[in-house]
Amino acid sequence: DQQVKQNSPSLSVQEGRISILNCDYTNSMFDYFLWYKKYPAEGPTFLISISSIKDKNEDGRFTVFLNKSAKHLSLHIVPSQPGDSAVYFCAASGGTGNQFYFGTGTSLTVIP
Amino acid sequence: DAGVIQSPRHEVTEMGQEVTLRCKPISGHDYLFWYRQTMMRGLELLIYFNNNVPIDDSGMPEDRFSAKMPNASFSTLKIQPSEPRDSAVYFCASSTTWAEQFFGPGTRLTVL
């Protein structure tokens, strides 16, 4: 049973606009969340993370929002650039030493 | 730094054969993770090591899978005997913190 779900397999956005990628989780014990980006034929690359004590974390063009009551997190990319075209995975964990759970990914295409 | 190194990059084998996947983590990283990626299930954590000691192997699908880390710079994931349903991309990742992992390029395994 998928504990971390990314219900949109793909997303297309115009260059310069905002990209919003969504992720839902089922386990209320998760307290650390991450986003990874993956290009074809490469391994995932860490992008940004957030602890459950926060509801927002920002790093340049990337912002992650966490809504614990809804068990939902989202990644905002603004402005979107063609180089952002990749598959984005969200991941969740109950903390150090606990299992990691990844979503199935959302393929983002940024159209020039 | 060369990053996480995995070999081989591609492996094609016949059902029933033994398969060994290799990983060299980034020097100084205390954690090593093995993942499997399939279309149906996405990225799944199979096993992880901390300071060369296996900590959690609850993600290993069955006894046909085994992993070792004889020293800080080398780990193997072995499948014996292999089956067609083991076909997937296998990633190795390492980290100094629990969460922000550096992934290798992956090994694409095809079992005929």
Side-chain angles (χ1 to χ4, degrees):
Chain A
D1 186 28
Q2 285 283 113
Q3 298 205 37
V4 177
K5 297 179 183 178
Q6 293 176 258
N7 293 317
S8 298
S10 63
L11 175 69
S12 291
V13 172
Q14 286 289 132
E15 181 178 4
R17 297 290 190 98
I18 184 171
S19 295
I20 300 176
L21 297 99
N22 294 305
C23 180
D24 298 295
Y25 61 96
T26 58
N27 191 336
S28 59
M29 298 301 292
F30 289 153
D31 61 4
Y32 201 77
F33 305 88
L34 307 95
W35 285 93
Y36 281 83
K37 180 166 89 170
K38 185 182 180 305
Y39 293 116
E42 295 183 10
T45 302
F46 169 74
L47 196 55
I48 192 169
S49 63
I50 188 167
S51 161
S52 61
I53 62 173
K54 295 183 175 182
D55 54 19
K56 176 183 174 181
N57 189 26
E58 194 170 351
D59 183 1
R61 298 185 297 113
F62 302 90
T63 303
V64 57
F65 294 92
L66 176 62
N67 182 333
K68 291 185 288 293
S69 61
K71 297 192 182 68
H72 177 84
L73 66 156
S74 61
L75 174 69
H76 293 210
I77 306 172
V78 56
S80 301
Q81 299 174 354
D84 296 330
S85 297
V87 177
Y88 289 79
F89 293 93
C90 66
S93 174
T96 299
N98 287 282
Q99 264 283 353
F100 260 103
Y101 296 92
F102 278 77
T104 50
T106 296
S107 178
L108 173 67
T109 301
V110 180
I111 304 165
Chain B
D1 196 333
V4 175
I5 299 172
Q6 291 188 246
S7 65
R9 292 294 309 275
H10 301 273
E11 176 81 29
V12 180
T13 190
E14 293 189 346
M15 183 173 64
Q17 296 297 305
E18 178 179 294
V19 174
T20 299
L21 311 181
R22 297 172 179 80
C23 175
K24 176 178 168 56
I26 294 172
S27 177
H29 283 191
D30 300 326
Y31 289 96
L32 184 138
F33 306 81
W34 280 102
Y35 288 89
R36 177 172 69 174
Q37 183 185 20
T38 60
M39 289 294 292
M40 290 298 295
R41 300 177 66 87
L43 265 169
E44 300 173 279
L45 176 61
L46 301 178
I47 184 171
Y48 78 90
F49 297 81
N50 182 217
N51 292 320
N52 311 338
V53 177
I55 304 299
D56 186 341
D57 66 354
S58 60
M60 297 284 259
E62 48 197 278
D63 291 344
R64 298 184 297 106
F65 286 69
S66 62
K68 293 182 180 179
M69 191 166 186
N71 57 61
S73 59
F74 184 65
S75 177
T76 60
L77 177 68
K78 187 175 293 186
I79 308 172
Q80 165 63 17
S82 58
E83 296 182 2
R85 61 194 168 117
D86 301 330
S87 297
V89 180
Y90 291 82
F91 289 102
C92 174
S94 69
S95 67
T96 53
T97 66
W98 167 249
E100 298 168 14
Q101 300 166 22
F102 292 79
F103 280 75
T107 295
R108 181 174 294 277
L109 173 65
T110 302
V111 183
L112 303 174

